[in-house]
Amino acid sequence: MDNFQTVLRFFMNQKATIGYSFMALLTIGGERVFSMVSFQCPCNRSQNFAYGLTFLLGPAVVLLVLGLFFSTRLWRLYTGCCLNPTKLCPRGNCLNCLRVFANILSGACVAPIMWLCVALLNGTFYECAVSGLNDNVVVDLFCENKTADCRKELARVPCDRSKLSGDERMELLLMFRAQSQILGWCIVIIAATVGLIGTCCTNCRSKVSYLQLTFWKRYVEKEKERFDTFAVDYATKLAERNLHSFFENTDPEPFPFPNHKAWEQISALYTFSRSEQYYSTLQRYVERADRDFSPEKRPVMDLERGMEMS
């Protein structure tokens, strides 16, 4: 039993690494499916570039949008900012807001960068795209020391319909794949270097020690887990109380519930301060002596066309 708990604790501590590894496997699998099932280079000079670039960049853009869409920090920052623009830059600290957006964007870029690296290291999409380039300088570079038919047949190189000799076609394919893999490794090196430098700068400027920072991260994870559990539990209790009141035609029992101001305060993104040893906006709120417990007498939500939900 102790051995099982040790293994379980290890996997829980490494869940970020496991998550990134699982994401990498999904990216590799998705790229292989695209390459083998749906991708078919048209081998036409007017279509190759757009077609190859679409398969190379299209999934990366989709993954970026999905990463932003599922970012909890983004929605905590963005929700309600049209009605209250000061949420984006509280106390006029726009620099901190930009820093938060940069952190959100960097987290959402992990999956797109993985896709670009895998797709470029494979080379299938890149060789289709560059074979359709019309730039004379690029084409002359590709067809240097080649036969006169190279310029005409360059777009057909990714397919088996090229009239070039087998050796010449293979030489062009190897050149395209080498360029693609070089670009792929450049992205890997740049991403790793930027990630390392960013982590070093963040830790160097940290206002807390390494162990306290580790505790902070653990606390935030546990608070989120417990918040989800409490939210489900209280939502169930509130739904049961309202249904009992409706079907039994009785007055609802008193139900303690945070007011709108409290929800707004705990939904803000937290910035650590040396003067306050709190680890989240929730802890800061519950430890305040001047908390407002009074419920607000107003509709829960205003719908379109002036309708109200009480």
Side-chain angles (χ1 to χ4, degrees):
M1 189 64 180
D2 292 339
N3 292 334
F4 175 76
Q5 290 180 348
T6 302
V7 173
L8 182 61
R9 192 179 303 112
F10 170 78
F11 281 109
M12 290 298 294
N13 292 336
Q14 302 297 323
K15 61 182 179 181
T17 303
I18 295 173
Y20 285 132
S21 301
F22 184 68
M23 188 185 302
L25 291 176
L26 286 179
T27 304
I28 295 173
E31 192 276 337
R32 294 308 301 165
V33 170
F34 271 100
S35 299
M36 299 175 62
V37 177
S38 61
F39 182 80
Q40 301 229 341
C41 187
C43 292
N44 186 301
R45 185 177 292 275
S46 61
Q47 299 178 9
N48 278 17
F49 182 75
Y51 187 82
L53 205 63
T54 299
F55 272 82
L56 184 62
L57 299 181
V61 174
V62 172
L63 290 172
L64 177 61
V65 172
L66 290 176
L68 292 173
F69 185 80
F70 290 108
S71 174
T72 304
R73 298 187 68 195
L74 176 64
W75 295 119
R76 290 185 68 171
L77 183 67
Y78 180 76
T79 301
C81 68
C82 291
L83 301 178
N84 184 16
T86 56
K87 285 186 61 177
L88 293 177
C89 297
R91 303 175 185 176
N93 191 1
C94 295
L95 183 61
N96 182 64
C97 179
L98 293 176
R99 188 182 300 114
V100 171
F101 271 118
N103 290 335
I104 294 172
L105 186 61
S106 63
C109 284
V110 174
I113 290 175
M114 284 185 179
W115 169 267
L116 288 176
C117 293
V118 172
L120 287 172
L121 289 175
N122 185 33
T124 305
F125 305 144
Y126 177 86
E127 66 187 31
C128 179
V130 297
S131 64
L133 291 175
N134 290 321
D135 188 88
N136 290 328
V137 176
V138 177
V139 174
D140 290 341
L141 180 63
F142 290 160
C143 294
E144 187 179 4
N145 300 325
K146 303 290 189 305
T147 60
D149 293 334
C150 176
R151 296 179 63 90
K152 298 179 181 179
E153 298 295 322
L154 187 63
R156 301 186 177 206
V157 168
C159 307
D160 293 330
R161 303 195 302 267
S162 174
K163 296 179 181 178
L164 298 176
S165 64
D167 291 340
E168 201 168 30
R169 176 179 174 273
M170 183 56 63
E171 185 178 347
L172 287 170
L173 279 177
L174 291 176
M175 180 178 62
F176 291 155
R177 290 176 185 174
Q179 293 173 354
S180 180
Q181 290 172 353
I182 290 173
L183 285 175
W185 277 112
C186 285
I187 293 177
V188 172
I189 294 171
I190 292 173
T193 304
V194 170
L196 177 62
I197 293 175
T199 303
C200 290
C201 291
T202 301
N203 288 351
C204 181
R205 295 172 56 86
S206 176
K207 297 179 181 180
V208 298
S209 64
Y210 174 75
L211 292 179
Q212 190 175 7
L213 185 62
T214 302
F215 175 81
W216 186 4
K217 292 178 180 178
R218 295 289 184 271
Y219 171 80
V220 171
E221 292 176 0
K222 293 301 179 182
E223 182 185 89
K224 183 179 182 304
E225 292 175 4
R226 298 302 299 164
F227 180 86
D228 293 340
T229 303
F230 268 72
V232 172
D233 185 34
Y234 270 75
T236 303
K237 292 178 180 179
L238 181 60
E240 291 177 350
R241 171 255 202 183
N242 294 339
L243 289 170
H244 279 299
S245 175
F246 175 76
F247 282 103
E248 297 174 3
N249 198 20
T250 58
D251 292 333
E253 298 177 359
F255 193 89
F257 206 71
N259 57 34
H260 293 284
K261 186 177 180 181
W263 283 108
E264 188 71 21
Q265 289 178 354
I266 70 166
S267 297
L269 291 176
Y270 179 70
T271 302
F272 188 85
S273 174
R274 285 183 180 273
S275 61
E276 301 175 335
Q277 190 167 335
Y278 303 136
Y279 294 100
S280 69
T281 52
L282 179 62
Q283 184 185 6
R284 174 190 286 169
Y285 175 79
V286 299
E287 293 190 9
R288 281 176 49 188
D290 58 341
R291 281 190 296 163
D292 181 14
F293 294 97
S294 59
E296 295 183 359
K297 302 294 185 180
R298 66 177 184 179
V300 174
M301 185 180 297
D302 294 329
L303 299 179
E304 296 180 0
R305 302 179 183 177
M307 298 178 61
E308 295 181 349
M309 293 180 58
S310 298

